[in-house]
């Protein structure tokens, strides 16, 4: 089937909107953390230990965070534009997330800082990221994304 004859399923708009809202909120958190730092993190309920821990992260961890967040936003926009590149943007976001997660839990002793709620939140974020990659891949294979 040619790309001009493939109809856009309703769920693409729903998943795209969810992905944009979800990743857009991540973008908001990123920008506010970069602009207001500890003050913003405190207002979000972070402990001083978590704020100090995050402040001690090297620049490459911050770069991974930026790729994770903005890759997700870009993926959502590209999904809504019905472009195959959405899958690659979501994949870059997921890979950056996994590398930073592994590093934060191993190299930087994140288990000493993360609360149970933060670990659950991290699991939810990871599963959603995997879901966005899988969904965009499926839509690309079906010819919905061009």
């Amino acid at each position: 089937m040619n790309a001009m004859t493939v109809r856009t399923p309703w769920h693409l708009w729903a998943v795209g909107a969810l992905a944009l809202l979800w990743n857009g909120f991540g973008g908001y958190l990123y920008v506010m953390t970069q602009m207001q730092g500890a003050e913003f993190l405190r207002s979000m309920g972070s402990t001083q230990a978590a704020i100090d821990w995050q402040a001690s992260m090297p620049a490459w961890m911050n770069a991974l965070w930026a790729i994770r967040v903005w890759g997700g936003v870009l993926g959502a926009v590209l999904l809504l534009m019905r472009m195959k590149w959405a899958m690659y943007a979501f994949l870059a976001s997921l890979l950056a997330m996994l590398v930073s997660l592994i590093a934060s839990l191993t190299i930087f002793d994140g288990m000493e800082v993360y609360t149970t709620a933060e670990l659950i939140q991290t699991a939810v974020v990871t599963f959603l990221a995997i879901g966005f990659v899988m969904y965009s891949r499926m839509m690309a294979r079906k010819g919905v994304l061009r």
Side-chain angles (χ1 to χ4, degrees):
M1 228 187 283
N2 133 358
M4 297 302 285
T5 61
V6 175
R7 294 183 59 111
T8 304
W10 67 270
H11 50 79
L12 181 125
W13 307 117
V15 172
L18 172 68
L20 188 58
L21 286 171
W22 179 260
N23 289 294
F25 183 67
Y28 166 77
L29 293 175
Y30 178 85
V31 168
M32 293 304 291
T33 301
Q34 297 302 313
M35 293 176 65
Q36 296 182 3
E39 179 183 326
F40 175 72
L41 292 172
R42 247 185 246 92
S43 76
M44 294 296 291
S46 290
T47 65
Q48 190 59 47
I51 293 168
D52 293 343
W53 179 75
Q54 184 167 352
S56 73
M57 289 295 132
W60 63 269
M61 283 291 283
N62 194 42
L64 286 172
W65 184 21
I67 293 167
R68 179 176 73 200
V69 167
W70 301 115
V73 170
L74 179 61
V77 170
L78 291 171
L79 183 65
L80 289 168
M81 293 174 65
R82 294 183 54 209
M83 297 182 74
K84 284 182 188 178
W85 286 98
M87 180 181 67
Y88 300 108
F90 283 134
L91 185 59
S93 175
L94 174 63
L95 292 175
M97 177 190 315
L98 293 174
V99 170
S100 66
L101 177 61
I102 291 167
S104 68
L105 293 176
T106 58
I107 300 170
F108 301 111
D109 299 321
M111 289 303 288
E112 295 176 15
V113 179
Y114 284 146
T115 64
T116 302
E118 289 169 329
L119 289 172
I120 292 169
Q121 176 187 0
T122 300
V124 169
V125 169
T126 303
F127 285 119
L128 280 171
I130 291 168
F132 292 140
V133 169
M134 291 173 59
Y135 181 81
S136 59
R137 183 173 183 230
M138 179 181 68
M139 290 294 101
R141 283 188 168 179
K142 288 185 175 188
V144 176
L145 304 182
R146 49 185 187 274

